Each structure stands twice: as C-alpha cells, then as structure tokens.
Amino acid sequence: MERSVLLVILFSVFCETSSSVTHYSIPEEMKEGSVVANLATDLGLDVKTLTKRKMRLDIITNKKYLDVNKETGELYIVEKIDREHICYKRSSCYLKLEITLENPLRIFNIELEVLDMNDNAPQFRRDAIHLDISEATPKGERFSLSNAVDQDVGTNSLKTYHLSESEYFNIEVQTGRDGSKFADLILKKTLDRERQALHNLILTAVDGGTPARSGTVSIVVHVLDTNDNAPAFDKAAYNIQVMENSPIGSVIIQLNATDLDEGSNSDISYSYSLYTSEKTQETFNLNPTTGEITVKGMLNYEDFRIYDMEVIATDKGVNSLSGQCTIKILVEDMNDNHPEISIKSFQSPVSENIELDTVIAVVSVSDKDSGDNGQVDLLIPENMPFKLRESSDNYYELVVSEPLDREKVPEYEITFTVTDRGSPPLCDNETMTLELLDVNDNVPQFSQSFYTIRVMENNAPGSLLSSLTAFDPDLHENQYLVYFIIEKEIANTSMSMLFSINPENGNLYALKTFDYEIEKEFLFHIEARDSGSPPLSSNVTVHIIIVDQNDNAPVIVSPWRAHGSVVEEKIPRSTDKGSLVAKVIALDTDSVHNSRITYQFLQVTDASLFSLDQYNGEIRTMRMFSYKDSRHHRLVVVAKDNGQPALSATVTIKLLTVETDVKAYSDMTEMPLEYDIFSDINLYLVIGLASVSFLLLITILVTIVLKCQKPKHSKTAPPSRNSVISERNSTIADSTLVSNDAYWYSLFLAETRKGKLVVRQPVPKGSRYIVSSIPRGTGLSETSDSAASTLQVRT
C-alpha cells in the first residue's frame, strides 16, 4: 500500500513540476499513522529547520485528517478518511492543504485526491417490500420496486439486480436518466390464491466493484382473493350408523365444508336441500353455522331404519357459490326390546299319574329386535320333571319327562324364562302353577311294623291301651282311614270280645280285665284301610303283654300245717352239725320276678343253734345240741316275695329234742324220687297241695264255661302264634314253687335235690304236662325242648 502511495506521489510531483500545486493521491480508509508523503523531501526543505521555521499544515475542512511530522517532514494520516462522507456522490474528491513555513515565509499548496474504494454495498431503503396482487391480475403486469442505493461511485456503484427463482415472477432492470438503476417486477403466470396465497421473493442489488458487493431486500407478495371457489365437503356421500334410542342432542356428524377462498368468500352456511324429507328434518337438526347434525327426535329401529338427507354448503361471496353432499343415516338396532312370552295353552290341574311325554303347555316367544338381539332362548328351571320341546319356529311344548308324585311335590311353580342373545341380554319370565290331582297310589303306613303294648293286669274295662295311627299321604277320600281288628279266634275267644279299636282314630281299648295268672299275652293284627277307589290297606301286628302285679301273697305249703300256723317237729338231740331240721316251702302264683321268695327268721330261740337258707328255706343245725340247750325251740319263719310292695306269709315251727334213737333225717338232696309219699311230713304236704289244686281246677272250669257261652266268631282269620297264652308256666327258683298241684310238688322235691330249676309247661291240647329242669339261676324257658332234662307224665 505504501509503495503504491509513493508511486502516486512521485507521479504527482513529476506531473506538477510546472505547477505551484503539489498533488498527492491516496485511497480512502487508510489506517491512522499511515505516511502519505515526505514533504521535506518533495518540497526541497531541510528537515532540521522545520521546527525552527514553525512548519504547520492547514486543511480546508472541518476535520483534520492529516498532519506533518516536524522531525521527519512526513505527511501522515491522523484520522481515517471516508470519501463518501466528505465527497458524497461526487465522481472526484480532493482535500486542499497549505504548508506554511516562516523565516522566510513560504506557502506551499497541496491537493490530496481521495480515491474511491468499494467499501459500501448497495442498500435498499426498506427491509421488505410488500405487494398486494389480486389473483385475477393478468400475466405480464408490471410492478415497480424500490431501487437500491450504493454510496460508492464509478465502477463500484450499483450495477444490476437479481431476483430469486420464482414460477410466477421475474424482473426487468431499468436505467434512469441520472444513471441510477431500478427494477420492475413482472407477473409471468396467473396467480392462484387457493394454491399459494403468499409469495416470498428475494431481490439482490449488485455493484461493479471487485470483489462485488450486494444488498438484498425481501419482496412479499400477498395474493388477493376472488370468489372463484365453491365450498366442498370432505366427502360427497356419508354413511353413518347411529344407535336407536340415542339421547336428544346427541351429535350424529360434524359436517365440514371448506372454501379455498378467504374472507366473506369462505364464510359458509349449511342447509337442507329440497330433497330432504320432512320426517328426516323433524328427526335431525342441522346447525347452519357449524354444520353439526344432532338428534332431534326419538330414533326407533323398529319404526324407521334409514334416513336420507342432502346438505348444501353456501359461501357468502358477492356471487355466492355452493356445494352439496348426501348423507345416509342407518339406525342400528339396540337391544331395547324385552323378549315376550305368550302362554298359548296351559293344562292345570293334571293327575299325578299322567303319562310321560304328555303336553302340559304350549308357549310362544318373540323379540322385536333384530339379529342376535332378536334371537331368543326359552328355559325352565332345572331339576323339574318337565322338558321343553320346540314344535315350530318360536313355539315350544312343555312335556312331562319324569313320573310325577303329588305326595312329594303337590304343585310346581314353573317359570318360563326367555332370554335374547343381545349384549347385555334382556330377559322376561312368566310363572305358571301346575297343580297335581291326587291318585290313590299310597297304602296307609303305620309308624311301626310291630307294636308291643304292655298292659298292667287288673286293668279297668274300657281303658285306652294305645293309639295305633297310620298315615296316608294321599288326599281327601284317598286319605280317610278306617281301622279294624282282623278277626281271629284263640281258645274259642274272638279278639273283638277282648279288644276294641276306634275306626276313626285307631285308639285301642281293652274290653275286659286281664289276669296275668290266666292270660299273659295276645297277638293279633290291626288293619288300616283308606277310602279310595279301589281302597288300599295295610296291617300291623299288635303284641299285648299282660304285665304282672304283685297281687298274690306267698302260700306256705311245707311244712304242712294241719291246724293253725304252728308246726310241731321232733328232732334227736344227737343230731349232727349241719343236719336238715326242716324245709320251708312257699308258693307264689305271680310272675317270676314277683314270685321270687326269700326266707328269714322272724323269731328264733337260739340264733347260734339254727341257720336258715334265705333262698331254699332249709333250716339246719349250726352245731350239735348240748345238755345246756333247751328241749323246746320256737322258730318263726317269714316267706317274702320280691314284689313292690312285698307280700309275705309266716310259719311257726316248734321243735322238741328227744333222747330216743330216731332215724335221722338225711339231706333231702339225696332223697330218691320214689320215697314214701305218705310219710309223716309229706302226707301233710300232699293234702295241702291237693286242696290248692282242687280250687284252681274249679276256677279254670268256671272260666271255660263262661267263655263257651259267648257267641262264636268267624274262624277265617289265620291263627296267631301264641295269640292267647292261657297256660300256666310254673317256675321254681331255688326253693320257690309256683304251682298248686300236689303231684307237681313231688316232682319238685326230686329235681331240687339235684340243684335244678323245674318248669312245667302244657302241650297245646293239654294232654300232658312237660316238666323241665334247668340249672338254678336261669330264667323261664318258653319251649319245652330247651330244658336240660324233661319228664313227661300223663294227666
């Protein structure tokens, strides 16, 4: 840079040799301190005298851009020089300088030419240029643009313009009279606002400097709308499905028509066309502003299923345009109708013995809905003896599938439930009551198959023994029961003579007083018969057991008492210890329990001398007699039965000890069966037994005569086992004898010696007695062949 300055200075000096003005040329924007020229050398001045001569530089401007170094004589830059500032828009720019020296005074004129540099880019007055162009403007139309300004001059000034690429615009550069450059914007293609409403262009101004500088401005083209587009819907046809029973106000569809125009040209209103029926307009509401279609009336699939409408969208331009669309609204079925049941036929009541597969009812079902909502299923409760059978479309028959039993289930609550297949499913039900008519198909039933009734002897005639009630689960006359005794005759005695039953309630009564010692049990049958047709009946076995009362006191039959109750016996004084002195035997005609007799001393002269076995009544010596013992002994023995209260009998035995040699009594347990029955003691016993037997025989004969005088009943009734047991079961427990037969007593004496129990039982026809001997302590044997040993003696 400095070299070029020096060359310019030298050239100026050379050119101005003949002039009094010294010329220098420098480029603008030189840095501060840059040396322009050495004035001392160029003007021929002595550098050493510059200070003394007070060298000064005067510039004819407001600012001091340059100065002189008095030490070296150099002209240098004090402040950057902006050519455009000091020489705005001038083609040439000079600074005039004066160098003044004193002693001697001398003035030198200097011209400093400031050369232009391309330091300024073209600039537009505005950042953006806005243009409003109607889309109806024809192509070729020109639009003036603001020009750019470049402060540089010459080749560095504005040279041309460039426009960014555009389909619709280009420019044409024009030159003014003053040489300024400007551009016109030319429309080369018709605009379409709906396609592109805004065009952004860039205009660039370029100068001629090297390198070239440029400036840009944005051109914003706003395309003005014209009403050249009709409103258009998103689709030309709509198919909409809506559920029936949709609430009033429910939105069906939001129509959206668009108009590519703007402003009032794009404001749209919606309306029904003339092709839309009044029914549709009454059912649906169209919002003219928003295009929203809502439910206005009730929707019912079963009434109206399809609605057709045509909607028109119209803009609000000066010359309004419109578009339309068609809408088909399909009402979808909703499961809003309950299925219905219709009972076409129902048979009630029916007999309980109705045949299987018999039709009881005919039922039809229906549902107004469609599809799955209209498909129905009919059911009845499970665990019922019925089933449904489809006879035809939506018709069902209720038939009997299992045998019916009124006694188990007298009636059925049959609920018919019909359910559709919608979601959620709806159902309906109908309940019918089926009553069953009774059939006499149940026999009367007693609570027990065998009744055992215990009756205390000596009962009052007409007393209630028991209530034998049967149950019949049938109804009405099939349930009414009649009770009666099945006739049978035992020992020429009819059961109806002994017992009576109330035919209505089954109360069993005794018609006579029973005596255990004569009759111990009865066995017969009672029948219960209903009143059905044909009647059904059942019978039950009744076992009457006569319970013994302790109504017979023991009778002492041994030792024999001829006069009064005192018995006199003699015994040798030499009797050994343990010898049998006497044996007390008592009889009791009561039952075994009440006739069990025990013996004890009531009074005894010397308790240390005699002992009494409480079970067999044997009186034995406990020691031998001594000379100190009295010759006379008085023994009072009481025989007491086991009844409640107990009954008893006493006997007094007077013993006299003698010195004579009397044959000692041996133990009766060793006495043979064929001993002399007419010995002293046994003679009395036989007489006593004969008396008692005679009285018993008279009683039996009288009873038989009385029974024979009663009317005989039919013998068709089957015989009953042990129906009337009139025989006497005589039992001897230890030394207890239950009999009044003297001969029986003799047998007893023989058997008791063996320590056995003797039982007498008559055979059925009374032709003989069976005497059974069993060990002591066992109970009564009711069969003759169960005894250990048996003696049979003809009577």
Side-chain angles (χ1 to χ4, degrees), residues 231-501:
F233 288 93
D234 296 339
K235 293 192 296 184
Y238 295 87
N239 289 322
I240 303 171
Q241 294 179 340
V242 60
M243 294 298 295
E244 65 172 328
N245 297 331
S246 295
I248 302 298
S250 299
V251 177
I252 301 301
I253 187 174
Q254 175 70 58
L255 291 177
N256 183 32
T258 56
D259 193 323
L260 299 178
D261 297 324
E262 64 179 0
S264 61
N265 296 329
S266 64
D267 291 340
I268 299 174
S269 62
Y270 301 89
S271 62
Y272 287 120
S273 72
L274 298 177
Y275 298 103
T276 304
S277 66
E278 292 185 3
K279 172 66 176 179
T280 302
Q281 297 185 39
E282 291 173 357
T283 307
F284 299 97
N285 180 64
L286 174 62
N287 189 314
T289 303
T290 63
E292 183 181 76
I293 298 178
T294 57
V295 177
K296 184 179 180 181
M298 289 300 297
L299 298 178
N300 192 341
Y301 174 85
E302 290 72 33
D303 294 339
F304 214 82
R305 302 183 182 183
I306 300 176
Y307 294 88
D308 290 307
M309 63 178 70
E310 185 179 70
V311 176
I312 297 175
T314 306
D315 63 26
K316 297 180 180 180
V318 176
N319 298 315
S320 62
L321 300 176
S322 63
Q324 63 274 343
C325 70
T326 59
I327 302 173
K328 177 176 286 187
I329 298 178
L330 304 176
V331 180
E332 287 189 343
D333 183 35
M334 181 180 180
N335 195 20
D336 59 339
N337 290 285
H338 286 262
E340 298 178 354
I341 301 175
S342 177
I343 307 297
K344 300 299 182 181
S345 173
F346 189 82
Q347 181 181 355
S348 178
V350 297
S351 178
E352 63 176 318
N353 63 348
I354 189 171
E355 295 182 358
L356 298 182
D357 285 336
T358 301
V359 177
I360 300 297
V362 177
V363 181
S364 68
V365 293
S366 61
D367 194 320
K368 294 180 180 179
D369 294 320
S370 63
D372 288 342
N373 297 332
Q375 296 293 320
V376 295
D377 298 305
L378 182 63
L379 299 173
I380 60 173
E382 296 180 355
N383 302 323
M384 277 195 170
F386 309 101
K387 66 180 179 180
L388 288 171
R389 183 171 62 196
E390 189 171 4
S391 59
S392 60
D393 188 22
N394 291 335
Y395 276 83
Y396 295 85
E397 293 177 346
L398 180 69
V399 297
V400 179
S401 61
E402 298 176 14
L404 304 181
D405 189 349
R406 189 209 61 80
E407 287 70 37
K408 293 181 179 178
V409 183
E411 65 179 21
Y412 291 92
E413 295 289 334
I414 305 174
T415 300
F416 297 92
T417 302
V418 59
T419 306
D420 61 27
R421 299 178 187 175
S423 180
L426 299 178
C427 63
D428 193 13
N429 59 71
E430 185 78 23
T431 300
M432 304 297 291
T433 301
L434 177 64
E435 297 180 0
L436 300 184
L437 296 177
D438 183 48
V439 174
N440 192 24
D441 56 349
N442 290 278
V443 298
Q445 298 176 356
F446 287 92
S447 59
Q448 299 173 221
S449 61
F450 188 89
Y451 287 89
T452 298
I453 303 173
R454 298 182 179 275
V455 180
M456 189 68 68
E457 66 173 329
N458 302 319
N459 61 292
S463 59
L464 176 65
L465 303 183
S466 180
S467 181
L468 309 178
T469 303
F471 171 72
D472 192 325
D474 292 324
L475 287 180
H476 308 307
E477 66 274 3
N478 298 329
Q479 187 186 37
Y480 298 147
L481 302 181
V482 178
Y483 302 89
F484 55 89
I485 299 173
I486 298 178
E487 288 295 341
K488 66 182 297 184
E489 189 173 299
I490 301 297
N492 297 324
T493 302
S494 173
M495 287 295 104
S496 61
M497 301 298 295
L498 302 177
F499 303 97
S500 174
I501 189 168

Side-chain angles (χ1 to χ4, degrees), residues 468-692:
L468 309 178
T469 303
F471 171 72
D472 192 325
D474 292 324
L475 287 180
H476 308 307
E477 66 274 3
N478 298 329
Q479 187 186 37
Y480 298 147
L481 302 181
V482 178
Y483 302 89
F484 55 89
I485 299 173
I486 298 178
E487 288 295 341
K488 66 182 297 184
E489 189 173 299
I490 301 297
N492 297 324
T493 302
S494 173
M495 287 295 104
S496 61
M497 301 298 295
L498 302 177
F499 303 97
S500 174
I501 189 168
N502 189 317
E504 294 182 356
N505 56 27
N507 288 342
L508 184 64
Y509 299 92
L511 298 181
K512 59 167 287 186
T513 300
F514 298 108
D515 188 351
Y516 173 81
E517 288 71 31
I518 299 176
E519 300 156 322
K520 292 181 173 55
E521 64 179 7
F522 300 91
L523 196 66
F524 56 92
H525 298 280
I526 290 179
E527 181 176 303
R529 181 181 300 166
D530 61 28
S531 302
S533 179
L536 300 177
S537 64
S538 64
N539 59 67
V540 67
T541 302
V542 179
H543 185 200
I544 303 293
I545 298 176
I546 307 301
V547 179
D548 180 47
Q549 281 187 331
N550 193 24
D551 56 348
N552 292 285
V555 177
I556 296 176
V557 297
S558 177
W560 176 251
R561 296 165 295 175
H563 305 286
S565 61
V566 178
V567 178
E568 294 181 356
E569 298 286 348
K570 292 180 181 181
I571 185 172
R573 290 184 67 84
S574 61
T575 301
D576 294 333
K577 174 184 177 181
S579 298
L580 181 63
V581 176
K583 185 177 181 70
V584 179
I585 298 175
L587 301 178
D588 193 324
T589 58
D590 289 324
S591 64
V592 175
H593 179 75
N594 291 327
S595 66
R596 188 176 298 277
I597 297 176
T598 57
Y599 303 90
Q600 63 185 17
F601 283 126
L602 194 59
Q603 291 180 6
V604 60
T605 303
D606 189 349
S608 66
L609 185 56
F610 303 99
S611 67
L612 173 61
D613 190 311
Q614 64 174 343
Y615 296 110
N616 59 23
E618 293 179 350
I619 301 175
R620 296 180 180 272
T621 58
M622 297 175 62
R623 59 180 175 82
M624 295 184 65
F625 290 98
S626 67
Y627 69 92
K628 294 181 180 181
D629 292 327
S630 172
R631 294 182 64 236
H632 297 277
H633 296 275
R634 186 172 184 272
L635 306 177
V636 179
V637 178
V638 60
K640 184 184 297 182
D641 62 21
N642 197 37
Q644 292 294 334
L647 302 179
S648 62
T650 60
V651 62
T652 301
I653 302 175
K654 288 185 178 182
L655 292 179
L656 175 63
T657 58
V658 296
E659 298 295 340
T660 59
D661 187 10
V662 183
K663 183 179 179 180
Y665 289 99
S666 63
D667 192 343
M668 290 186 67
T669 59
E670 298 176 358
M671 184 180 296
L673 180 61
E674 291 83 5
Y675 74 97
D676 187 4
I677 197 170
F678 295 104
S679 61
D680 295 336
I681 297 175
N682 290 335
L683 177 61
Y684 302 128
L685 290 176
V686 171
I687 296 173
L689 288 174
S691 300
V692 174

